[in-house]
Each structure stands twice: as structure tokens, then as C-alpha cells.
Amino acid sequence: MASITQEQIHKFRQDGFLVLDKFFSSEVCEAMRAQIQKIIADMDVPPHCRTEFSTREDEQLQAQGSAEYFLTSGDKIRFFFEKGVFDGKGDFLVPKEKAVNKIGHALHAYDSTFKQITHSSDVQVLARKLGFENPVVVQSMYIFKQPGIGGEVTPHQDATFLHTEPLGRVIGLWIALENATLENGCLWFIPGSHTSGITRRMVRTPPGTIPCTKFVGSEQTYDDRQFIPVPVEKGFSQPLSCLSPLCTHKTNNWSARWRQTSPCLGVHC
């Protein structure tokens, strides 16, 4: 594990994000990549459960926001797909390994490879150094950036979806399993945006209501010039937010090159 200095901790608290050089080894990254291929090979999702994943507000509410398959995925390993990869019958139009947008949300609990890595002493030590006394993992995701069809991730704050009281007792760890560059969809951040509070929350609606979720408040309008790109090399670990999951971030649009990033880990106390 790369050590973290007081200067880095200060920068994390100032900017809301931090890159740690080679937090995980290449061997660990390859182990995650190999294991996810085994999981995809065994993937069996009935057509009526095939949920297309989107980060656009109206599509979020109509797709995953109203799908029990998504809403009950917190303690399961489930698969979510890119838009346009199914025909009218729900059959794949592309190879299934090229159709997946992400796998979540409990790899850390039910897959031995991801469980060992997620609950490693290195992750625990890092969380404690960033101020968490008794960190626990709330979710994990394996995120794909598919070539040509992989959509952008629109600007957002993680606290919109991972709400805690007091606000912000969550930290995200983002580990690049391939080089994340300007060309293939690295993360972009607004430094210091985690100090501005939260303007939007996704909440459940009353039972029997369609859609099953709604947004309270609205996403801010952002100036693209506020964002800075943060390309990282394979094996880097990139926390999305520090004292709170309020740091605004996004990825750019479709890529001609395939990239995989995993896992996105939420830790809170």
C-alpha cells in the first residue's frame, strides 16, 4: 500500500478527491479483471430483469429507479446494461461481455476475490487515516466503459444516492484496472465542490407509486470549465470524496477504446 501523508490528507480535505500512487498492485488488478470475466461467463439474467443503466435523471427514474431488480441489489450481485444492447424480445444484440454497464452492489460480500480485496487491511487503514473510526463497506461496483456504446456519466454528487446523517459520512474508492485517459473516459472533478452542500437526493416513493423513486431538489448547472481531468494509470486508487461524498464529478462521453474500472467502494461509519 502507498502511504498517505498529512499533506495529502490536507489536500484531500481541500479538494474533495485525491490520487494515491499504486495503492493496489498490478497483480491485484489482474485478479479482479480475471474474476469478473468468470462472473460474466456465468451471468444468467432473465429478460424481464435486464435493466438498462443511465445517469440521466428522467431515464434513471424510469429504468433502474423503478426496477426492483436494481432497487433490491444492495445485498446481491446483479448486472446492469448499456442502452441499446437488447432487441424487442430482450435478447442481446451484442456479445454479453460487451453489453454490461456495471455489476453491483455486493461483490464485496459474495465473491471471495472482491471480498478479500475490499476488506483488506490496506483499505481499512486508509479509511481510518481519513477520519473513519469503524469503517464498513456499504456497496461495491465493477464499472465498465464499453467501446462505442459506453455512455457518459453526467455531473453528480454521490451523496445524492448515498445519504447519511450526519451528511457525508461516506468515502468512495475508485481503482483503475486499465489506464484511464482523456481519450477513454477518465474522471473529471470540480475541486472544492464538496464544501457547497447537496442540492438533490434520490428517495423512495410510497409503496405502489410509479416510478418507485423520485428526486428531491435539482442538480446544479455546472460550467464545464470548472472541471479538471484526472487521468490515472492502472493500479491507482482514487477516492471520490473525503469528509463527505459531495465532490462533483463526471466522465466524458463514448470511447472507441474499452476500459474497465473497479471496484467503486463506499465505506462509512
Side-chain angles (χ1 to χ4, degrees):
M1 169 186 168
S3 60
I4 183 170
T5 66
Q6 286 300 315
E7 181 180 357
Q8 288 174 312
I9 293 173
H10 174 74
K11 183 171 178 59
F12 194 14
R13 291 173 176 165
Q14 175 179 297
D15 293 341
F17 65 93
L18 176 70
V19 175
L20 292 178
D21 185 359
K22 297 182 179 178
F23 185 83
F24 287 120
S25 68
S26 294
E27 291 75 17
V28 170
C29 292
E30 288 305 316
M32 287 190 279
R33 285 167 52 89
Q35 184 62 15
I36 217 70
Q37 294 307 312
K38 294 178 182 178
I39 291 173
I40 291 176
D42 294 334
M43 176 178 67
D44 183 17
V45 182
H48 70 279
C49 293
R50 292 176 180 175
T51 301
E52 294 182 347
F53 188 84
S54 174
T55 62
R56 296 188 178 279
E57 183 169 311
D58 56 340
E59 294 176 348
Q60 283 180 319
L61 296 178
Q62 294 300 323
Q64 64 261 30
S66 292
E68 285 299 315
Y69 183 79
F70 178 85
L71 295 173
T72 59
S73 65
D75 59 352
K76 303 174 184 68
I77 297 175
R78 288 185 168 171
F79 305 87
F80 308 100
F81 301 94
E82 297 286 357
K83 293 189 294 182
V85 298
F86 302 118
D87 63 17
K89 297 179 180 179
D91 294 326
F92 288 103
L93 295 171
V94 300
K96 64 180 182 179
E97 66 273 13
K98 301 294 186 183
V100 183
N101 174 283
K102 75 171 185 175
I103 300 174
H105 288 95
L107 287 163
H108 64 279
Y110 296 107
D111 180 85
S112 58
T113 297
F114 287 94
K115 184 174 184 178
Q116 180 179 5
I117 294 168
T118 305
H119 293 280
S120 68
S121 59
D122 288 346
V123 172
Q124 295 179 39
V125 168
L126 174 61
R128 289 191 174 95
K129 286 187 175 180
L130 292 175
F132 292 81
E133 294 181 3
N134 297 297
V136 297
V137 179
V138 295
Q139 69 174 24
S140 56
M141 297 179 285
Y142 194 105
I143 305 172
F144 298 78
K145 191 77 171 180
Q146 300 289 5
I149 63 172
E152 66 180 334
V153 176
T154 56
H156 68 281
Q157 299 168 294
D158 287 348
T160 293
F161 310 98
L162 289 174
H163 184 79
T164 61
E165 294 181 0
L167 182 64
R169 297 304 294 165
V170 177
I171 183 174
L173 303 182
W174 186 96
I175 301 100
L177 296 188
E178 295 182 4
N179 293 343
T181 66
L182 290 172
E183 293 74 26
N184 71 4
C186 68
L187 286 167
W188 295 63
F189 294 95
I190 299 179
S193 55
H194 63 300
T195 63
S196 300
I198 186 172
T199 61
R200 185 178 69 142
R201 282 187 60 198
M202 175 181 269
V203 300
R204 295 293 295 264
T205 55
T209 304
I210 299 297
C212 300
T213 58
K214 67 178 181 179
F215 285 103
V216 177
S218 59
E219 191 64 77
Q220 299 181 50
T221 299
Y222 300 103
D223 184 341
D224 283 344
R225 293 173 295 182
Q226 295 177 278
F227 288 89
I228 64 168
V230 185
V232 293
E233 295 180 9
K234 176 181 176 180
F236 280 60
S237 174
Q238 187 168 338
L240 297 182
S241 45
C242 180
L243 297 178
S244 71
L246 303 176
C247 186
T248 302
H249 55 285
K250 66 174 185 174
T251 67
N252 60 7
N253 211 342
W254 299 343
S255 170
R257 300 175 60 189
W258 189 24
R259 174 168 64 77
Q260 303 176 57
T261 60
S262 166
C264 178
L265 308 177
V267 182
H268 84 284
C269 63

